[in-house]
Amino acid sequence: MNFISTRGGEKVSGARAIVQGLSHNGGLFVPEKFPKVSAEELEAMLSMSYAERAAKVLYKYLDDYDEKDLLRACEEAYSRFDGDDPAPLVKLDDGVYVLELFHGPTCAFKDMALTLLPYLLRKGCDICGIKEDILILVATSGDTGKAALEGFRDAKGVKICVFYPNDGVSKMQKLQMCTQEGANVNVVAVKGNFDDCQTAVKNIFNSVECAAELKKRNYLLSSANSINFGRLAPQIAYYFSSYLDLVSCGQIEMGTPIDFCVPTGNFGNILAAYYAKRMGLPVRRLHCASNMNNVLTDFLAKGEYDARREFYKTTSPSMDILISSNLERLLFEISGRDAALTASRMEQLRTGKFYSVTKEEQADINETFDGGFANEEEVVETIYDVFCDTGYTMDTHTGCAMKVAVDWFEKNKKDTTNMVVVSTASPYKFPQDVLYAVTGNDVRDSFKGIKRLHAATAMAVPKSLATLRDKTVRFNVVVSPEKMFDEVLRFVSEK
Ligand SMILES: *Cc1c(COP(=O)(O)O)cnc(C)c1O
């Protein structure tokens, strides 16, 4: 399978797409066509383990990798998750399920892909015959950074540098990153918000001068952000797996379409669901859930992407995003794969923070997608209501999605389609906010929050968060966006 750029001009292998991250003209790599999973193949996947299902889905795209080798890598990656199922499905009510994607090493759904990406990248370098060391640059709104650091720590021939918005991540997220162990890691706070971080990292990627400076030092740039197809591919797998779980538990018949409701920021997670649908998974609708930074809600309702708006810092920081990078891949598809049009829209977004799609394109999008959002009060109310009604505790990001799902059922009372709400983080990653939602109590300290939340919910505390308090803070550098590349050069020059 080959990969092409959403902005045209480039065609590369899967390995190359992953190693390179972004195409040379700034476009994102997409598969030349969507591989299909037949009804027989789906049936055969029923009896498989999560790792086996994941390897099957991955190999559909990455056929330049060895299938058995992929399977071994999946088994190894998902063995690092708590419990025996890396992506368990919890039934909340008739027709409403929660897909928990936070049982990995850093307690957020980013682990689903980032535990596997180091393998995909290393193997990709072998396949492409690349001899340089790899430098991974990551812009993070909180969770990607930690998951990438954990995934790549002490990986041979790789250095990783993570940038996060100084005031834009939760205390737990910051602590998780700044205490990261490993000899090949660097963590840098940036004066600005996530969009500033992401734009600056993209600029480094697109700069010929930066590439030359790094090449002098024997480094090749790559990305662990969700623009990398190596992030997207493992995410497609859990949509398949959760569907198969519903069938094996007798909740639905094979072939019955279901809905997913996804807490969305950069549009990577929900895009993976769309890819699963295009591959033949019986998916009806995809509900895109935002917080108050509801640029996607408006886009899905009006066909106009307008980032000229106030940026809010919310209790779901991983969704505090106004420029959703992965939407470019959807735009490419709904424009009939028109690379020139996609490039021009992305240019309008860059220069004027705005673009629109045609009425036909919007109708096309709305065949599958609709959007909604939750304000801060609604997140609290939703977490509280679900906790009272069912005893289930969810985090703030999942709270946004649950609110959108509840609204959907309010408006569509006769709808009997099963809904899977995707849960993207452990409640213990945002302990104070979740504690407040569940009990009305405010505590200042995150670890006190964890303790009280545990007392209130009796949910097990992930060990990686409980032990964080005793770790040493290793990183405290703060830079402005213009100085990010200087920091990169300093880091790669370290021995
Ligand atoms: C990253 C993240 C999201 C947003 O996912 P996208 O793929 O960027 O849309 C939602 N919730 C949590 C907890 C996250 O870490």
Side-chain angles (χ1 to χ4, degrees):
M1 166 90 52
N2 281 318
F3 288 75
I4 55 176
S5 164
T6 49
R7 301 187 196 173
E10 218 168 327
K11 189 196 280 195
V12 299
S13 69
R16 173 59 70 176
I18 288 172
V19 172
Q20 207 174 301
L22 204 63
S23 98
H24 291 304
N25 58 11
L28 311 193
F29 285 119
V30 293
E32 208 168 23
K33 59 179 194 302
F34 287 103
K36 297 290 175 200
V37 174
S38 68
E40 295 74 47
E41 284 175 300
L42 213 49
E43 198 71 46
M45 284 165 80
L46 272 174
S47 58
M48 291 182 185
S49 69
Y50 185 85
E52 288 169 327
R53 290 170 178 174
K56 269 269 173 284
V57 171
L58 283 170
Y59 187 64
K60 289 271 174 194
Y61 290 97
L62 305 176
D63 53 8
D64 46 344
Y65 288 66
D66 179 74
E67 193 174 4
K68 286 213 180 66
D69 207 36
L70 271 174
L71 175 58
R72 267 194 304 274
C74 289
E75 280 169 346
E76 151 90 34
Y78 298 120
S79 72
R80 297 179 56 204
F81 283 56
D82 284 341
D84 11 287
D85 187 351
L89 199 59
V90 178
K91 183 169 183 170
L92 270 199
D93 198 353
D94 281 339
V96 185
Y97 306 82
V98 179
L99 173 59
E100 294 185 344
L101 301 176
F102 54 76
H103 296 287
T106 76
C107 308
F109 94 96
K110 307 293 196 293
D111 289 325
M112 298 302 298
L114 281 163
T115 48
L116 203 59
L117 189 63
Y119 160 81
L120 294 175
L121 199 65
R122 188 171 27 153
K123 211 40 178 204
C125 284
D126 290 349
I127 294 171
C128 300
I130 286 164
K131 299 280 186 297
E132 289 104 334
D133 283 353
I134 297 284
L135 172 67
I136 312 261
L137 294 188
V138 180
T140 184
S141 57
D143 292 328
T144 301
K146 179 61 186 181
L149 288 163
E150 199 52 49
F152 282 100
R153 74 188 262 190
D154 296 323
K156 266 224 279 305
V158 179
K159 275 196 171 188
I160 170 165
C161 185
V162 168
F163 295 98
Y164 70 91
N166 196 26
D167 299 316
V169 301
S170 82
K171 255 176 75 183
M172 276 319 250
Q173 288 174 323
K174 192 175 211 159
L175 203 55
Q176 272 189 311
M177 290 189 279
C178 293
T179 57
Q180 178 65 44
E181 290 158 13
N184 62 337
V185 303
N186 190 30
V187 177
V188 183
V190 177
K191 293 176 200 148
N193 61 34
F194 172 70
D195 293 315
D196 300 323
C197 286
Q198 177 159 263
T199 304
V201 165
K202 274 194 188 163
N203 288 344
I204 295 176
F205 268 96
N206 291 333
S207 155
V208 180
E209 294 86 49
C210 291
E213 285 295 327
L214 289 167
K215 184 137 182 109
K216 269 196 242 161
R217 294 161 176 86
N218 197 39
Y219 277 97
L220 193 74
L221 264 186
S222 189
S223 160
N225 273 109
S226 64
I227 49 168
N228 190 319
F229 190 78
R231 282 280 304 280
L232 196 56
Q235 293 176 181
I236 303 170
Y238 50 73
Y239 288 102
F240 275 90
S241 190
S242 59
Y243 185 88
L244 294 164
D245 285 346
L246 282 175
V247 176
S248 14
C249 303
Q251 303 291 306
I252 57 170
E253 303 252 344
M254 181 66 100
T256 309
I258 64 169
D259 283 10
F260 287 99
C261 184
V262 188
T264 298
N266 228 348
F267 210 76
N269 197 352
I270 197 166
L271 185 80
Y274 173 76
Y275 273 45
K277 181 177 162 94
R278 294 292 301 265
M279 291 171 77
L281 189 71
V283 174
R284 187 190 64 165
R285 301 199 64 77
L286 297 173
H287 309 280
C288 174
S290 302
N291 60 25
M292 285 168 72
N293 296 295
N294 56 359
V295 60
L296 286 167
T297 313
D298 290 347
F299 172 70
L300 292 170
K302 295 186 217 147
E304 291 178 347
Y305 196 97
D306 192 348
R308 298 167 299 187
R309 60 177 72 209
E310 193 175 339
F311 176 86
Y312 297 102
K313 270 171 57 178
T314 73
T315 52
S316 42
S318 301
M319 294 156 66
D320 289 346
I321 292 176
L322 292 180
I323 308 283
S324 290
S325 300
N326 267 298
L327 191 61
E328 178 168 348
R329 287 188 164 111
L330 180 66
L331 286 178
F332 180 69
E333 297 304 331
I334 56 119
S335 68
R337 303 201 135 200
D338 186 333
L341 183 56
T342 307
S344 117
R345 283 173 175 157
M346 289 303 106
E347 186 56 19
Q348 289 171 46
L349 181 62
R350 195 179 67 79
T351 55
K353 295 193 166 189
F354 178 91
Y355 62 82
S356 59
V357 297
T358 66
K359 283 286 160 233
E360 294 73 40
E361 287 173 319
Q362 194 202 336
D364 242 20
I365 296 175
N366 290 148
E367 285 273 309
T368 300
F369 290 91
D370 49 74
F373 75 100
N375 65 30
E376 293 293 87
E377 186 59 34
E378 289 165 338
V379 174
V380 169
E381 289 297 311
T382 305
I383 295 174
Y384 177 77
D385 286 347
V386 171
F387 180 72
C388 288
D389 292 348
T390 68
Y392 186 78
T393 314
M394 64 192 143
D395 95 294
T396 44
H397 302 75
T398 312
C400 292
M402 189 59 72
K403 162 73 179 153
V404 171
V406 168
D407 283 351
W408 172 266
F409 284 121
E410 274 295 307
K411 270 189 251 128
N412 301 276
K413 288 214 159 63
K414 297 211 176 76
D415 190 6
T416 55
T417 306
N418 286 270
M419 173 86 80
V420 174
V421 176
V422 176
S423 176
T424 48
S426 160
Y428 288 112
K429 231 178 155 166
F430 306 92
Q432 288 137 295
D433 297 318
V434 178
L435 178 73
Y436 176 74
V438 169
T439 66
N441 289 331
D442 248 329
V443 294
R444 276 187 165 218
D445 177 70
S446 301
F447 294 100
K448 193 176 261 179
I450 288 184
K451 216 169 138 188
R452 295 236 183 133
L453 187 58
H454 177 67
T457 65
M459 218 185 152
V461 182
K463 214 165 130 228
S464 61
L465 295 180
T467 55
L468 209 51
R469 192 213 291 258
D470 309 319
K471 298 226 158 120
T472 315
V473 172
R474 296 182 60 206
F475 303 99
N476 50 23
V477 173
V478 187
V479 302
S480 57
E482 312 80 69
K483 293 280 186 252
M484 282 165 59
F485 191 64
D486 293 345
E487 179 59 22
V488 169
L489 286 183
R490 189 200 59 71
F491 173 54
V492 293
S493 309
E494 276 178 4
K495 56 159 182 44

